[in-house]
Amino acid sequence: MTGVGILLRSHLRRDRWIILWWCLGGVLLYWSQAVSIEGLYATQAEFDQAAAAMDDNAAFIAMAGPARALDTVGGQVAWQATAFGAVVAGLMSMFLIGRHSRAEEESGRDELVRSAAIDRRAPVSAALIVALVANLLLGVLVTLSLLTVRSEDAVLKGLPLPVADSIGIGLGLTACGWVFSGVALVAAQLTQSTRAMYGLAGSVIGVAYGLRAVGDVGNEALSWLSPIGWYQAMHPYSGLRWWPALLMIAAACLTAAAAFAVFGRRDIGSGLLADRPGPAEAGSGLRSGLGLAWRLQRGSVYGWSAGLFLTGLSYGSIGDSVEDLVGDSEFAEAFGAGVTDSLVEGFYAVAIVQLALIACGFAISSTLRPRAEEDAGHSEVLLATGLSRRSWLAGHVLVTVAGTAALLTLGGLGLGIGYAATTGDSGAVLRYLGPVLPYLAPVLVLSAVARLLYGLWPRALVAAWLPLVLAVVVLIFGDVLQLPEWLQALSPFEHLALVPAEDFEVAPVVAVALLATLLSVGGQIAFRRRDIG
Amino acid sequence: MTTETAAPVIQVEGLVKKFGSLRALDGLDLEVAPGEVHGFLGPNGSGKSTTIRVLLGLLRKDAGTVRMLDGDPWRDAARLHRRLAYVPGDVSLWPNLTGGEAIDLLGRLRGGLDNRRRQELLERFELDPTKRGRSYSKGNRQKVALVAALASDVELLLLDEPTSGLDPLMEGVFTEYVDTFRDRGGTVLLSSHILAEVEKLCERVSIIRAGRIVESGTLADLRHLTRTSIDAELAGPPDGLARLAGVHDLDVQGNRVRFDVETDVLDEAIGALHRIGLRTLVSQPPTLEELFLRHYGDVVADVPAEAEHP
Ligand SMILES: Nc1ncnc2c1ncn2[C@@H]1O[C@H](COP(=O)(O)OP(=O)(O)OP(=O)(O)O)[C@@H](O)[C@H]1O
Ligand SMILES: [Mg+2]
């Protein structure tokens, strides 16, 4: 096919870093499981105890997969990494294919390429090959990384990891990624815009994950409807079998063939599914800056809320078996040290800060949304109407603040409900929701820093993420790396009491909230004084 | 040059806008009288969009005075904006809002739409309001902004290359609506690169170059400043023409003569030809094109001296 080679070379050159980062993420996911389990349990007895606790925890199984050979290192890696690994491979395939097929067509660049002397199917083929190569690389790197896990004085079962199973887990990941590549390629033919394509391919990945979750907990047949289920059915490290890989390769071929068949029947630039027509007139919600801000951001509020609730739920569902899971190894001592005697309370105090840090992801990106509006030229048209700068920005600020509050509340509820469901202690719902709420203040400090930047130096906005990086580093490595006191104090999260491990204190919360308000108001005033665009 | 007595709708004096070290506007003067369609012309990067953004209070001026609709565009932005509508040259729509939703949103934020006119405009522009912003073509995105602007009840339209991407048929519809808008007493500032459109719509034009106005006046005034080209065959050799001030590029071949003449000495030049005896005469009226090209090009020296500082 003329042109595939040229396109492929140019794609791979453009994508080499992106692909490398994705692979690095995937490798870390697998490799870190193997390494961390080794460090987590001092004796096989401890490990057995933890494995028993996980074995019959439905929430864990729904999240990760069928519990097999959890008392071996390999079994743990397969259990904890494969479902998420498959999602990583799926998302990588989706983005790579979207980027080189639908996005190119949407931007019209594709037409330029096509006007050169290349085969009609060359761009689609090149996009597919990029995804196939990337998944192969991912699988090979995962295998290689697992093969490096050696231990001189292995106390835990299953070390070193068997070579055949390590190859199986890597190539299974590749094959699963190939299925999602085929799916993404079909989605790119059906839809008309990149956004819609990501929506369609993303929901297939989501449904694949959900089907196997339900299947693994209940009716096993459902897991067989999901490519992720097929991957896990290879049973790496617990009686490896190869034939599910063939199933995945067959599915990948089928979906790719289907994509090419659809491609042959459609016009360039269009999809098989046209965009559904929308309302010809605006609803009553769309009449103010706030109404528009909500309309633009509600999808992300819903998504993050669901994510935070589920994260809270999964933390909570560990219940009071924290001790079993963590054991009383050195790690556990470090984890609870200086916080409290009760491991459970220490664990949840830190879990709550982690929830808050996740909420920062929403808070900061939501704060940056006005900049995206400005860059796209939307704010220019809006601010040329009766909408003042003050109310335009205030609308977005309100969505950010209320959205963050909703996120934290749902995260706390998830935590409490998960805990209550596991332990039967219904009072836990409020006990765990309460301590989450004060974290609205430090989360909003990070958001307000972003807003101040937006008002003063909109071109330096990437810097808005630095405080979050700092807060994460301080929380996770602050004591380990013995970071200086003043550096740790820069993170607003460090000033709040670690409830429930410590007693609640009002003063720091008020002070931090005041800081957030000042910074935010400063940013809004600065915005009113600068050029737009 | 202005004869109107009513207070101008837009009055800009000595406006300076700097982007870093670049003086995008460098002492710009601009006056738009009520009820006129004012053409705003100039080469790429000369500062048209920047001027309009200052008028909209989107950019902060560095020096000069700016009044619009009896207010300060920076301080009274939102209040003034309810009385005007703005159409940029490159409209970008929210990808997941439909065209209809965008029209209503902009209209409501301006203080209300005329629903009957909205419907009529949608039909005339053949625009489907149920499509999502991401799936409109360039021309159709432009139409969304035009419908939102033309269906609003406002006094002033600020249009920055509003017809870029429209097909000629739709451009005709646009012209028609701007005409009606003016007939209702509205004022328009129209930045455009399409001379035919300007010639059709505008009474007065201002030409901007490198951040300054180099020419401003009615189209008739401007025509006056250009030259008519003459191509004639005479009864005898054309002597003495070269001595006439205002005759340029004289080219004599036997009894045939070709030259450009400034409009104010046209009468004299034809008189001279007449005295020798005219056999044939072809005269090219001055085109706007010529005038613009002269201002757009690098050779400013070619511009008649009195026109450079109106
Ligand atoms: N935000 C900005 N930052 C820096 N320079 C700018 C900015 N906006 C405009 N300029 C510069 O100011 C000058 C005037 O630009 P402007 O957009 O006003 O030109 P224009 O007359 O509208 O041109 P065109 O006909 O191409 O639309 C240009 O040199 C441009 O590069
Ligand atoms: Mg412009």
Side-chain angles (χ1 to χ4, degrees):
Chain A
M1 229 182 288
T2 343
V4 177
I6 302 172
L7 287 175
L8 196 59
R9 264 199 301 283
S10 120
H11 290 352
L12 287 175
R13 203 172 33 242
R14 268 174 67 197
D15 285 355
R16 54 178 192 250
W17 289 112
I18 303 181
I19 294 178
L20 221 59
W21 283 116
W22 276 102
C23 288
L24 198 67
V27 166
L28 269 180
L29 186 66
Y30 284 77
W31 181 79
S32 67
Q33 294 298 344
V35 178
S36 71
I37 289 162
E38 234 200 309
L40 201 53
Y41 305 102
T43 63
Q44 181 65 33
E46 253 179 54
F47 192 20
D48 285 342
Q49 195 186 356
M54 298 173 201
D55 239 341
D56 48 23
N57 185 320
F60 273 18
I61 290 172
M63 215 160 68
R68 296 175 58 86
L70 294 190
D71 56 347
T72 64
V73 174
Q76 285 282 347
V77 172
W79 191 52
Q80 306 224 14
T82 47
F84 299 120
V87 171
V88 167
L91 291 177
M92 175 179 77
S93 311
M94 174 181 106
F95 284 122
L96 286 175
I97 288 193
R99 184 173 147 83
H100 294 303
S101 61
R102 187 40 74 187
E104 290 288 293
E105 269 187 59
E106 197 177 23
S107 71
R109 272 191 301 273
D110 190 58
E111 274 177 53
L112 262 181
V113 173
R114 281 178 195 285
S115 62
I118 60 166
D119 192 276
R120 187 180 138 81
R121 283 169 306 175
V124 182
S125 313
L128 178 62
I129 295 173
V130 168
L132 297 183
V133 169
N135 279 298
L136 186 63
L137 186 69
L138 173 65
V140 168
L141 288 178
V142 163
T143 295
L144 289 179
S145 75
L146 290 177
L147 290 179
T148 62
V149 180
R150 301 230 172 274
S151 169
E152 299 300 306
D153 49 336
V155 287
L156 303 183
K157 268 200 282 188
L159 276 180
L161 296 168
V163 175
D165 295 75
S166 296
I167 295 176
I169 204 171
L171 289 194
L173 180 62
T174 297
C176 193
W178 285 353
V179 179
F180 287 123
S181 304
V183 168
L185 202 64
V186 173
Q189 311 313 311
L190 294 181
T191 53
Q192 211 164 18
S193 67
T194 317
R195 249 175 118 106
M197 181 223 144
Y198 288 162
L200 184 59
S203 8
V204 172
I205 299 172
V207 168
Y209 181 83
L211 275 177
R212 61 131 284 282
V214 180
D216 293 346
V217 175
N219 182 356
E220 208 192 318
L222 288 177
S223 301
W224 284 104
L225 295 177
S226 157
I228 305 181
W230 301 338
Y231 175 29
Q232 296 186 324
M234 287 176 71
H235 294 167
Y237 305 115
S238 56
L240 176 71
R241 33 186 205 186
W242 290 98
W243 60 265
L246 296 178
L247 201 60
M248 289 189 275
I249 291 172
C253 293
L254 265 177
T255 43
F260 276 97
V262 178
F263 175 73
R265 307 176 49 151
R266 72 174 178 88
D267 298 328
I268 302 302
S270 74
L272 218 59
L273 308 175
D275 256 346
R276 265 178 301 121
E281 279 161 31
S284 57
L286 214 52
R287 56 172 62 255
S288 62
L290 178 61
L292 179 65
W294 171 242
R295 172 73 182 267
L296 294 176
Q297 296 207 34
R298 67 183 179 196
S300 114
V301 173
Y302 294 150
W304 280 91
S305 298
L308 232 73
F309 181 75
L310 291 177
T311 311
L313 203 60
S314 58
Y315 273 135
S317 69
I318 297 172
D320 46 15
S321 59
V322 172
E323 258 153 302
D324 296 338
L325 285 185
V326 183
D328 36 36
S329 57
E330 278 171 51
F331 175 81
E333 275 160 31
F335 196 64
V339 177
T340 172
D341 292 336
S342 161
L343 201 55
V344 178
E345 287 183 350
F347 175 81
Y348 280 110
V350 175
I352 285 170
V353 186
Q354 287 177 356
L355 284 180
L357 287 173
I358 298 176
C360 287
F362 166 80
I364 295 175
S365 65
S366 164
T367 308
L368 301 188
R369 185 65 201 240
R371 180 61 193 172
E373 287 286 293
E374 204 180 324
D375 277 339
H378 298 152
S379 53
E380 176 176 316
V381 184
L382 279 177
L383 294 176
T385 67
L387 184 62
S388 66
R389 289 182 185 219
R390 179 205 301 258
S391 3
W392 177 71
L393 190 56
H396 280 283
V397 173
L398 202 61
V399 170
T400 303
V401 173
T404 309
L407 246 64
L408 284 172
T409 309
L410 282 164
L413 273 178
L415 195 64
I417 291 174
Y419 189 91
T422 310
T423 59
D425 168 11
S426 60
V429 177
L430 286 182
R431 220 171 53 242
Y432 284 120
L433 171 60
V436 178
L437 300 181
Y439 279 96
L440 181 60
V443 174
L444 288 182
V445 168
L446 298 203
S447 149
V449 168
R451 187 163 301 119
L452 190 66
L453 275 176
Y454 173 62
L456 287 176
W457 302 287
R459 280 172 218 293
L461 262 195
V462 267
W465 293 99
L466 286 182
L468 178 57
V469 174
L470 176 81
V472 171
V473 169
V474 166
L475 177 76
I476 299 180
F477 301 114
D479 294 327
V480 180
L481 298 181
Q482 297 185 327
L483 296 176
E485 217 37 56
W486 63 267
L487 191 65
Q488 302 207 26
L490 280 182
S491 164
F493 293 89
E494 294 303 302
H495 300 279
L496 267 61
L498 284 169
V499 187
E502 299 170 359
D503 287 332
F504 178 68
E505 291 168 52
V506 185
V509 178
V510 173
V512 170
L514 209 63
L515 178 65
T517 314
L518 281 178
L519 292 171
S520 173
V521 169
Q524 294 180 57
I525 291 175
F527 169 73
R528 296 212 293 269
R529 294 161 169 274
R530 71 164 168 84
D531 288 349
I532 301 289
Chain B
M1 280 182 195
T2 328
T3 49
E4 280 90 347
T5 46
V9 173
I10 295 174
Q11 185 160 34
V12 177
E13 272 162 28
L15 176 60
V16 175
K17 174 68 198 174
K18 288 185 264 190
F19 293 113
S21 60
L22 174 81
R23 288 172 84 88
L25 298 179
D26 189 12
L28 179 118
D29 303 305
L30 179 69
E31 200 173 294
V32 178
E36 79 172 352
V37 181
H38 194 103
F40 195 26
L41 301 141
N44 294 130
S46 54
K48 301 180 295 296
S49 301
T50 304
T51 308
I52 293 180
R53 290 203 179 105
V54 172
L55 287 175
L56 286 166
L58 296 170
L59 299 180
R60 212 186 159 101
K61 65 175 191 230
D62 289 309
T65 56
V66 182
R67 302 286 295 171
M68 183 175 68
L69 295 168
D70 271 329
D72 176 339
W74 179 263
R75 269 190 296 114
D76 315 322
R79 181 173 66 80
L80 297 181
H81 291 171
R82 271 183 258 277
R83 299 164 62 190
L84 65 83
Y86 164 59
V87 178
D90 195 358
V91 177
S92 98
L93 295 173
W94 295 273
N96 47 354
L97 256 61
T98 64
E101 285 178 314
I103 291 171
D104 286 345
L105 173 70
L106 293 175
R108 286 169 183 173
L109 290 173
R110 252 176 223 134
L113 279 181
D114 179 335
N115 264 319
R116 200 189 42 74
R117 192 147 19 107
R118 174 188 189 274
Q119 194 52 42
E120 181 188 305
L121 280 158
L122 284 177
E123 277 160 26
R124 291 298 307 280
F125 276 120
E126 296 168 18
L127 181 69
D128 176 0
T130 65
K131 278 206 194 172
R132 307 270 168 196
R134 56 171 168 258
S135 48
Y136 281 117
S137 66
K138 158 99 178 85
N140 282 336
R141 286 202 302 270
Q142 210 64 34
K143 288 182 196 169
V144 169
L146 280 172
V147 171
L150 294 171
S152 304
D153 277 314
V154 293
E155 301 159 44
L156 172 65
L157 290 177
L158 295 178
L159 309 175
D160 191 0
E161 299 178 43
T163 55
S164 56
L166 287 196
D167 65 44
L169 212 67
M170 294 304 146
E171 220 183 291
V173 176
F174 163 77
T175 317
E176 194 183 308
Y177 274 92
V178 172
D179 260 333
T180 2
F181 177 76
R182 186 227 341 252
D183 293 344
R184 285 203 314 268
T187 309
V188 182
L189 179 64
L190 170 69
S191 137
S192 176
H193 288 301
I194 304 169
L195 299 176
E197 183 178 274
V198 172
E199 231 172 334
K200 219 178 316 170
L201 282 171
C202 303
E203 290 91 58
R204 297 207 312 136
V205 301
S206 293
I207 300 176
I208 180 176
R209 193 167 187 286
R212 288 164 167 276
I213 296 294
V214 291
E215 194 90 70
S216 185
T218 64
L219 284 180
D221 286 339
L222 295 188
R223 282 224 169 77
H224 201 67
L225 295 173
T226 57
R227 302 163 185 171
T228 307
S229 25
I230 303 286
D231 184 345
E233 264 197 59
L234 305 174
D239 298 326
L241 267 177
R243 279 196 307 276
L244 267 180
V247 169
H248 303 265
D249 303 330
L250 185 65
D251 174 20
V252 183
Q253 280 169 2
N255 287 352
R256 179 145 183 226
V257 63
R258 270 183 290 192
F259 58 91
D260 294 341
V261 57
E262 282 171 23
T263 313
D264 22 357
V265 294
L266 180 63
D267 189 39
E268 237 173 292
I270 300 289
L273 297 180
H274 181 70
R275 277 191 296 280
I276 301 164
L278 270 167
R279 287 276 150 75
T280 65
L281 174 68
V282 180
S283 85
Q284 291 280 352
T287 60
L288 268 185
E289 203 107 12
E290 214 184 339
L291 175 71
F292 296 143
L293 287 180
R294 240 191 264 179
H295 284 297
Y296 280 30
D298 278 330
V299 224
V300 197
D302 220 33
V303 177
E306 71 270 31
E308 217 172 351
H309 303 290

